[in-house]
Amino acid sequence: MKKTKVLLIGAGGQLGSELTQGLWALHGIDNVISSDIKDPHGILKEGRFEKLDVMQKDKLFELIKTNEITQVYHLAALLSATGEQDPRWAWKLNMESLLYVLEAAHELKLDKVYWPSSIAVFGPTTPKDNTPQDTIMDPTTVYGITKLAGERWCEYFFKRYGVDVRSLRYPGLIGYKTQPGGGTTDYAVDIYFKALAEKSYGCFLSADTYLPMMYMSDAVKATIDLMESPAEKIKIRSSYNISSMSFCPTQIAAAIKKYIPDFKITCQPDFRQAIADSWPRSIDDSRARSDWGWQHEFGLEEMTKDILENLKQ
Ligand code: AKB
């Protein structure tokens, strides 16, 4: 049997550095190459790192061949808010890089590929509560459009070429180890930093905007659980709905106030409000739970305790 060798693309982002550590624990630090267009920071310096612009297809293929890579996790993308600043570039980066990775998987016979989708695939006419796996998808952001098109490409490569590609529709991901990178759900990360530093936070969404969210350690667990499941359990090759909690700015502020009683939140919605309003409030992830046994660990209270304790240290 071939030894598992992993390439993670976009490792410098919020999920990337924590997923890198999860993959080190699973496969061994020497069997994981993390890569990014930027220089490595923090924990990434401790493992194997390659600087990679995923838009350079030849370099990507070369890196895979030279290192006998068997699995690729492709996380590099422009997110919902930054994508709106340059829609053409978001389309090009998000779509072409996915196609290069899927082509590499097919042509170089990779064992598996992971690519993240998002709740951004849904839109204003999608049912908002307990959004089903299969439903109306009418994304309004260029990011959401690329994720929806990407899901179709993943299923296409699976059906046409047998590429073992797997994917999750992430909700807003909340971690404290790295700064977030241009998403609409990023307020739920910033708020913890500002609560400790300034005891106040100016939120760019309205106080009652409910969105599906997930703590980073659950996101890492979901990703690795999906990738380590036997192929026959993976029945959905576009992307799985995945969920753990939903809350609004008022609720996260109340959870923080239990630790910082004089914390104050003010809300002044900006352009990101319209994006948030087009997304679901909560997600039905029963297919992930029944097909490959997904279970989350963290809710809002447990997450808040964990983040604030860690950030204080
Ligand atoms: C974003 O807000 O753009 C992302 C996402 C929900 O995919 N966090």
Side-chain angles (χ1 to χ4, degrees), residues 111-132:
D111 289 344
K112 288 179 212 172
V113 171
Y114 179 76
W115 172 81
S117 184
S118 159
I119 56 163
V121 291
F122 300 118
T125 66
T126 303
K128 286 225 173 295
D129 296 305
N130 228 12
T131 302

Side-chain angles (χ1 to χ4, degrees), residues 183-187 190 201-206 268-270 272-273:
T184 302
T185 57
D186 289 0
Y187 89 85
D190 296 338
Y201 179 64
C203 184
F204 54 76
L205 297 183
S206 69
Q268 274 191 321
D270 67 11
R272 288 167 279 195
Q273 184 66 46

Side-chain angles (χ1 to χ4, degrees), residues 54-71:
V54 67
M55 296 299 273
Q56 296 186 330
K57 185 178 174 183
D58 294 349
K59 297 242 167 77
L60 169 68
F61 273 55
E62 203 47 50
L63 189 60
I64 292 174
K65 281 193 257 180
T66 319
N67 294 282
E68 298 180 338
I69 295 295
T70 60
Q71 298 185 10

Side-chain angles (χ1 to χ4, degrees), residues 79-85 140-141 182-184 204-205 268-278:
L79 297 186
S80 58
T82 37
E84 293 310 292
Q85 312 308 317
T140 55
T141 60
T184 302
F204 54 76
L205 297 183
Q268 274 191 321
D270 67 11
F271 73 98
R272 288 167 279 195
Q273 184 66 46
I275 300 177
D277 286 342
S278 75

